Amino acid sequence: MRSEWLVIARREFLERVRTKWFIIGTLLGPVGMLAMILVPALIASSGGKDVRLQIIDHSGKLGEPIAKKLVGWKTEVIPSDTTTATWMKRIADEEIDGVLEIATDATDLGPISYRGDNGTNQKVVGDLQKVVVSAVLEERGRKVGVPDDKLASVLRDVNFTAEHTTGDKKETSGAAAFFVGYAVMFILYMAIVLYCANVLRSIVQEKTSRVVELLVAAAKPHSLLLGKILGVGAVGLVQISVWLGMALAVMHGRGTILGWFGIKGAGAFNIPAIGGLDVAVILAYFLLGYFFYAALHAAVGAMVSSDQESQQAQAPLIMLLVIPVACFSVITNDPRGVGAQVLTTIPFSSPILMPMRYLLGGATPAQLALSLGILALSMAGVVWLAARIYRVGILMYGKRPTLRELARWIRYG
């Protein structure tokens, strides 16, 4: 006879994969990944065109050279006595995009500042900074008597690249390594949040509609819980496998895809190689992280009696997932640092951050094994506690239990 939990898991799996929302969500994932590549590239490639810039040059030496170097920009050197209120009004009326103000002693570390409505545009700011630095260095060179022909030779562009390696693998583009790690972290975060919320919502719906009273007459509570978590988790595994495969395809074909939209050069990255072991690590953390958080959500679902209560009670669990995402720079800035080691060992954050750290080459095999071991043990403990809370809680209605009552549920569950 087929096990109760297996029948329930099969029902939960088929019930979800047959819905149009599963198909839409599975298709929207790849679309979102394409958008993550295309939108920033399109914005970056379009930024810097037709920028309307006015320059207030108190030094009298840098304004014109800077204006000449900004090819394609609409630049104008305006009188140095132009008031702040005047150029602020021009920006507010959208007559110009911004103002570059150059101090009298700009070549001696005096301030040069840009203020504009595109101050967050990294391409605009980067291009402007490059030109300003070049103009200041040229002026400094002239002040110390360097001939113009030698200045041009000294100030030529530098061929600089940043590549990521920890010494164990071949170096890859730093930007590409960051993008791969970030994409994996984002996929894991989205999958765990979505499918744990599914578990919570399913339990609350069955409890509020009293269907659970019929289910417990036909199956044991722990079979109900196990089947529900496994069934929903299998749906998540299918979807994340599709998303992961699409993400890898998009990353490897990034240059070609961007070329279709007329964006050249942005895809010329040395993409980190992702092998079977890397995929196995990612899926292992998804499964363990999903079971860990799904058990917590199941316990919360058994404790509440309405959708409104479940949303309030779920908030702390969402915060536990959001905090690791907010700390991703700790991993990317120093994958082998103490902060990265701590965050990828704690079971609340390791499912989100450890795959990223592993792909960046920051984790040794021993650290990976320790992190997986702690997460597996924590998951077993949380599942044990959740099963006891679920067994009592699904048949309890009324006010939310106190901590003392929860302890009693765990003791007698």
Side-chain angles (χ1 to χ4, degrees):
M1 182 179 176
R2 185 175 295 179
S3 301
E4 294 173 342
W5 63 266
L6 190 57
V7 174
I8 296 166
R10 182 173 180 274
R11 169 183 164 272
E12 294 286 345
F13 178 80
L14 294 177
E15 188 179 68
R16 282 169 174 76
V17 296
R18 287 172 175 169
T19 63
K20 63 180 180 182
W21 292 113
F22 173 79
I23 299 171
I24 292 172
T26 304
L27 294 177
L28 281 180
V31 172
M33 290 166 201
L34 284 172
M36 285 175 64
I37 289 177
L38 287 175
V39 173
L42 287 171
I43 291 174
S45 64
S46 62
K49 293 179 180 177
D50 300 327
V51 175
R52 298 161 299 175
L53 173 72
Q54 290 190 338
I55 302 173
I56 301 174
D57 182 14
H58 297 287
S59 71
K61 298 176 182 176
L62 296 173
E64 290 296 342
I66 289 174
K68 289 179 182 176
K69 288 175 179 288
L70 291 169
V71 179
W73 292 32
K74 296 177 181 177
T75 57
E76 180 187 2
V77 180
I78 60 176
S80 58
D81 58 353
T82 304
T83 62
T84 301
T86 301
W87 61 258
M88 285 285 280
K89 187 174 185 308
R90 290 173 183 170
I91 294 175
D93 293 342
E94 299 187 20
E95 295 175 8
I96 59 174
D97 294 308
V99 168
L100 181 71
E101 189 164 9
I102 304 169
T104 306
D105 56 345
T107 55
D108 295 318
L109 298 181
I112 302 175
S113 57
Y114 175 73
R115 303 177 185 90
D117 60 3
N118 52 3
T120 54
N121 188 316
Q122 297 302 307
K123 178 169 176 54
V124 169
V125 174
D127 289 348
L128 182 58
Q129 183 178 17
K130 184 179 177 182
V131 167
V132 168
V133 170
S134 173
V136 170
L137 292 178
E138 282 184 9
E139 185 57 29
R140 286 176 179 171
R142 293 191 185 95
K143 285 175 70 175
V144 297
V146 179
D148 285 349
D149 57 335
K150 292 185 178 178
L151 265 179
S153 175
V154 170
L155 297 176
R156 284 184 302 173
D157 287 341
V158 177
N159 184 11
F160 172 79
T161 58
E163 296 194 325
H164 176 78
T165 179
T166 55
D168 300 324
K169 296 180 181 177
K170 186 178 182 299
E171 66 275 8
T172 57
S173 162
F178 173 86
F179 183 80
V180 169
Y182 185 85
V184 168
M185 180 203 69
F186 188 74
I187 290 172
L188 288 172
Y189 167 75
M190 289 296 297
I192 291 175
V193 167
L194 289 175
Y195 286 102
C196 287
N198 266 345
V199 171
L200 172 64
R201 195 176 304 115
S202 174
I203 290 173
V204 173
Q205 284 176 350
E206 289 176 354
K207 185 174 179 181
T208 53
S209 63
R210 305 263 178 170
V211 170
V212 72
E213 295 174 12
L214 299 175
L215 292 175
V216 294
K220 296 175 182 175
H222 74 269
S223 295
L224 279 176
L225 178 63
L226 182 61
K228 190 175 293 295
I229 292 177
L230 282 175
V232 176
V235 178
L237 191 60
V238 170
Q239 199 164 53
I240 198 173
S241 298
V242 173
W243 289 354
L244 203 54
M246 187 63 192
L248 294 176
V250 167
M251 282 184 288
H252 283 281
R254 186 170 184 268
T256 305
I257 294 170
L258 293 177
W260 294 340
F261 292 84
I263 304 170
K264 298 179 180 178
F269 289 144
N270 184 11
I271 300 288
I274 296 182
L277 180 60
D278 301 321
V279 174
V281 169
I282 294 168
L283 293 180
Y285 273 97
F286 165 70
L287 288 174
L288 291 173
Y290 163 74
F291 276 108
F292 180 83
Y293 276 103
L296 289 174
H297 280 73
V300 168
M303 287 189 286
V304 299
S305 300
S306 67
D307 271 337
Q308 187 177 1
E309 277 188 65
S310 70
Q311 291 172 9
Q312 295 171 353
Q314 185 192 15
L317 299 180
I318 297 297
M319 287 302 299
L320 287 175
L321 284 162
V322 169
I323 289 173
V325 174
C327 295
F328 81 93
S329 59
V330 176
I331 308 298
T332 56
N333 289 347
D334 187 5
R336 295 190 288 194
V338 175
Q341 291 181 32
V342 172
L343 284 173
T344 54
T345 304
I346 298 172
F348 292 104
S349 54
S350 62
I352 306 294
L353 295 176
M354 186 48 138
M356 170 192 267
R357 184 182 170 215
Y358 176 76
L359 292 176
L360 294 177
T364 64
Q367 290 170 341
L368 180 67
L370 177 65
S371 173
L372 280 171
I374 291 175
L375 180 58
L377 289 174
S378 303
M379 181 207 68
V382 168
V383 169
W384 181 81
L385 285 174
R388 287 177 165 263
I389 292 173
Y390 180 82
R391 183 177 179 183
V392 178
I394 52 171
L395 297 176
M396 303 292 284
Y397 298 92
K399 69 180 183 65
R400 205 181 302 171
T402 63
L403 288 177
R404 180 176 295 180
E405 287 170 330
L406 268 182
R408 195 179 308 129
W409 289 7
I410 293 171
R411 192 163 55 248
Y412 293 109

